[in-house]
Amino acid sequence: MKAYERLLRYAAYDTQSDHHSTSYPSTAKQWVLLETLKDELLGLGLKAEMDQYGYVIGTLPGNAGAAVPTVALIAHVDTSPDASGAHVKPRIVKRYDGRPIVLDAVKNIVLDPAVFPWLRDNVGHDLIVTDGSTLLGADDKAGVAEIMTAVERLVADPSIKHGTVKIVFTPDEEVGQGTTHLSVKAVGADFGYTLDGSKVGEIAYENFNAAGVTAVFTGKSVHPGSAKKKMLNSIRLAAEFDALLPLSDRPELTEKYEGFNHPTELHGTCEKTTAEYIVRNHDVTRFERQKQDFRNAAAYLNQKYGDGTCALDIREQYQNMRTLLEHRMEIVEFALGAIRKNGLEPIVEPIRGGTDGARLTYMGLPCPNLGTGGYNYHGPYEYASINEMDQAVDVILTLLTDIAASTRS
Ligand SMILES: [Zn+2]
């Protein structure tokens, strides 16, 4: 079976996750696809189990000797809460001609290369698009489909030499909980790859260092009619605080390796105001400097208006996986080599966010992220290139055979 046929099949399952849920997985409907995937792995002759949290872990024993490292291939089954994932009606556009693709003529929803210029790289490809009313779910069912298809090929052809492969399908990545209950010990791999990127040939092994900041401002509330020389309005304190942060560290002014501070929430009264920020940078030194900017701004207000005017809470959220992968660069080199061997030029881009792979890296399972051939995630303009999905399967197979070959020699 081809990877895209699996994507079409998996897209029929509504697996949208939910930010507001307190259960795990966040939505019961994710169980249905996870159970189906477990059965599919069993049907291919693998050992496979699903645990109490919904994680499906399959094992394909190696056939290249015991010294070959065990590699995990990881993808998530849930789709983004940002757009409906129910009643997805995928449509195949054969040999894409480079012109705008009308998804919904009535609502004028058009997949247009003028808006999404990367479509031009897909001219001549067979594409899978939506009907304009839902997302497609290639994020990350394309990754699931490619892993499953690679495993099927390995099972069918024992002449392909590889180490033990661990297949890991997870829920709730889109709500930031994809690794919350995952046991790296249960996975039992030396390292892994998430198949959760975009264009095939992409490899990402750098992401932001991330912290959350809560700043609480305490003012003095007095009747405004008799406030002269008495009132201290905490809403104004929050504004003054924000103005003390460097202007250049704003998301709307940054890209690539430039970090930012971003206010995400502000609520308050004259008496008390709370501001929430997120702080992001790939570079640890600059990241530390940004956090120091917050402390300096708080110290300035406390000196100017009195102790306790601004209380700061800085929480670490996640870290750049590069810091750890720098000591394990062969994991990245294997992927770069496999991409090149399949006639592709590797695209190395820093992730301006975090990934499950970044969390796994810090949990002890080093885990760069690879492209799947899916694009425009989290909305109705999402599409996948069937050609790139086939290439992604080939990249996985080359990767596994290269890792086995390098260890044996
Ligand atoms: Zn994803």
Side-chain angles (χ1 to χ4, degrees), residues 213-220 232-245 265-277 294 297-302 305-306 308-312:
V213 177
T214 306
V216 179
F217 304 93
T218 305
K220 271 192 211 79
L232 184 60
N233 189 330
S234 75
I235 297 171
R236 295 236 153 78
L237 291 171
E240 187 174 353
F241 179 85
D242 189 71
L244 290 168
L245 298 170
E265 231 180 284
L266 180 73
H267 44 90
T269 58
C270 182
E271 183 73 29
K272 192 174 197 150
T273 295
T274 303
E276 303 282 352
Y277 288 83
F294 278 87
Y300 173 78
L301 292 186
N302 286 333
Y305 300 108
T309 301
C310 174
L312 214 55

Side-chain angles (χ1 to χ4, degrees), residues 80 176 380 384 387 396:
S80 169
N387 304 57
I396 294 172

Side-chain angles (χ1 to χ4, degrees), residues 331-408:
I331 299 167
V332 174
E333 293 296 335
F334 284 134
L336 292 171
I339 290 164
R340 287 200 188 95
K341 277 191 189 176
N342 282 282
L344 300 161
E345 193 47 45
I347 305 155
V348 182
E349 286 255 334
I351 301 165
R352 290 180 64 75
T355 65
D356 273 359
R359 289 188 177 84
L360 288 170
T361 300
Y362 280 88
M363 288 161 70
L365 183 68
C367 213
N369 188 34
L370 302 176
T372 62
Y375 294 84
N376 298 348
Y377 292 159
H378 298 190
Y381 298 101
E382 189 181 10
Y383 73 96
S385 158
I386 290 176
N387 304 57
E388 289 193 30
M389 289 187 69
D390 289 342
Q391 287 179 302
V393 174
D394 292 337
V395 169
I396 294 172
L397 293 172
T398 310
L399 185 55
L400 295 173
T401 51
D402 278 4
I403 291 167
S406 79
T407 325
R408 279 182 302 162

Side-chain angles (χ1 to χ4, degrees), residues 76 139-140 173-174 196:
H76 66 89
D139 177 13
D140 184 24
E173 189 271 351
E174 299 291 359
D196 191 20

